[in-house]
């Protein structure tokens, strides 16, 4: 079975159990912290994926790092997944859980890439446009790419609007070449 499908199932079960135990916010914070730890520690991800390291050793590593800091519901999923010898999917479970959590809370992530920093008014305008489009609260992620020259690229889910000067210049270049 695909790693993503398995991760999705564990994440769904974790969300359902967290809702049942009234621990959704705590589990969400834990999973965000775990995902950030995995992004910052390539060694941890490699250790979780290693076939040489025994699963009980991996569980001991997870216990040392997270048992006292995380909610028992969060740590419990680590134990279950590790006991089933599937600890290599833990980072994927965290990402899937975060995605499901934002859906559960009615939050839409949107990424806007610009050549320079947006003003507060511009951020509010972009957020309002996305909120009107999706009907959800917006978590706006801002990125800077000076090569755009001007304009913006807005990504919402799997849709993208590219209204950058860089793209317009490339389009002009292609039309002049033909």
């Amino acid at each position: 079975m695909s790693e993503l499908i398995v991760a999705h199932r564990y994440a769904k079960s974790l969300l359902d159990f967290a809702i049942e135990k009234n621990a959704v916010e705590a589990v969400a914070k834990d999973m965000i912290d775990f995902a950030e730890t995995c992004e910052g520690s390539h060694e941890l991800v490699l250790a979780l994926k290693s076939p040489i390291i025994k699963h009980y050793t991996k569980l001991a590593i997870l216990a040392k790092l997270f048992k006292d800091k995380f909610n028992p519901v969060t740590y419990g999923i680590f134990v279950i997944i590790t006991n089933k010898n599937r600890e290599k999917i833990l980072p994927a479970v965290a990402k899937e859980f975060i995605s499901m959590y934002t859906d559960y809370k009615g939050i839409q992530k949107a990424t806007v890439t610009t050549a320079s920093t947006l003003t507060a008014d511009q951020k509010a305008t972009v957020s309002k446009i996305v909120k009107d489009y999706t009907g959800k609260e917006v978590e706006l992620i801002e990125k800077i790419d000076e090569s755009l020259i001007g304009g913006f690229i807005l990504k919402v889910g799997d849709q993208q609007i590219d209204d950058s000067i860089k793209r317009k210049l490339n389009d002009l270049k292609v039309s002049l070449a033909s």
Side-chain angles (χ1 to χ4, degrees), residues 55-56 59 78-87:
H55 75 275
Y56 58 84
L59 186 58
F78 290 180
V79 172
I80 291 168
I81 292 172
T82 304
N83 285 339
K84 293 196 176 279
N85 205 17
R86 289 186 162 170
E87 55 279 337

Side-chain angles (χ1 to χ4, degrees), residues 56-74:
Y56 58 84
T57 306
K58 295 175 188 180
L59 186 58
I61 292 168
L62 291 170
K64 183 87 169 160
L65 293 172
F66 303 112
K67 187 173 183 179
D68 295 334
K69 297 176 183 129
F70 282 5
N71 185 290
V73 173
T74 309

Side-chain angles (χ1 to χ4, degrees), residues 93-109:
V93 171
K95 287 182 181 180
E96 281 294 309
F97 180 88
I98 294 164
S99 175
M100 289 179 180
Y101 172 75
T102 57
D103 286 345
Y104 170 76
K105 295 297 278 184
I107 299 169
Q108 177 64 57
K109 287 188 177 185

Side-chain angles (χ1 to χ4, degrees), residues 13-42:
S13 297
L14 178 58
L15 180 62
D16 291 344
F17 190 60
I19 291 168
E20 183 180 313
K21 294 293 185 182
N22 293 320
V24 177
E25 300 301 323
V27 172
K29 181 189 173 303
D30 293 345
M31 293 308 270
I32 291 167
D33 289 348
F34 180 73
E36 289 173 355
T37 301
C38 288
E39 286 176 17
S41 175
H42 187 64

Side-chain angles (χ1 to χ4, degrees), residues 5-178:
I5 292 170
V6 175
H8 181 83
R9 289 181 180 173
Y10 278 114
K12 175 77 172 106
S13 297
L14 178 58
L15 180 62
D16 291 344
F17 190 60
I19 291 168
E20 183 180 313
K21 294 293 185 182
N22 293 320
V24 177
E25 300 301 323
V27 172
K29 181 189 173 303
D30 293 345
M31 293 308 270
I32 291 167
D33 289 348
F34 180 73
E36 289 173 355
T37 301
C38 288
E39 286 176 17
S41 175
H42 187 64
E43 294 83 11
L44 175 61
V45 175
L46 289 177
L48 291 173
K49 290 183 177 184
S50 174
I52 297 169
I53 302 172
K54 300 293 183 205
H55 75 275
Y56 58 84
T57 306
K58 295 175 188 180
L59 186 58
I61 292 168
L62 291 170
K64 183 87 169 160
L65 293 172
F66 303 112
K67 187 173 183 179
D68 295 334
K69 297 176 183 129
F70 282 5
N71 185 290
V73 173
T74 309
Y75 184 71
I77 198 77
F78 290 180
V79 172
I80 291 168
I81 292 172
T82 304
N83 285 339
K84 293 196 176 279
N85 205 17
R86 289 186 162 170
E87 55 279 337
K88 69 180 180 182
I89 69 164
L90 279 171
V93 171
K95 287 182 181 180
E96 281 294 309
F97 180 88
I98 294 164
S99 175
M100 289 179 180
Y101 172 75
T102 57
D103 286 345
Y104 170 76
K105 295 297 278 184
I107 299 169
Q108 177 64 57
K109 287 188 177 185
T111 304
V112 64
T113 306
T114 57
S116 60
T117 306
L118 293 175
T119 66
D121 288 343
Q122 290 169 326
K123 288 179 187 178
T125 302
V126 171
S127 292
K128 184 182 180 327
I129 291 168
V130 174
K131 183 176 181 178
D132 291 346
Y133 177 72
T134 63
K136 296 181 177 181
E137 290 299 315
V138 179
E139 180 182 325
L140 192 63
I141 301 164
E142 186 179 359
K143 294 183 178 179
I144 306 295
D145 181 359
E146 294 176 359
S147 73
L148 295 180
I149 303 169
F152 64 91
I153 300 172
L154 178 62
K155 290 182 185 178
V156 180
D158 62 351
Q159 297 182 346
Q160 176 175 299
I161 300 168
D162 187 346
D163 194 35
S164 65
I165 302 294
K166 179 180 179 179
R167 184 197 50 86
K168 290 177 182 179
L169 287 173
N170 283 340
D171 290 350
L172 182 61
K173 180 181 174 182
V174 168
S175 69
L176 288 175
S178 57

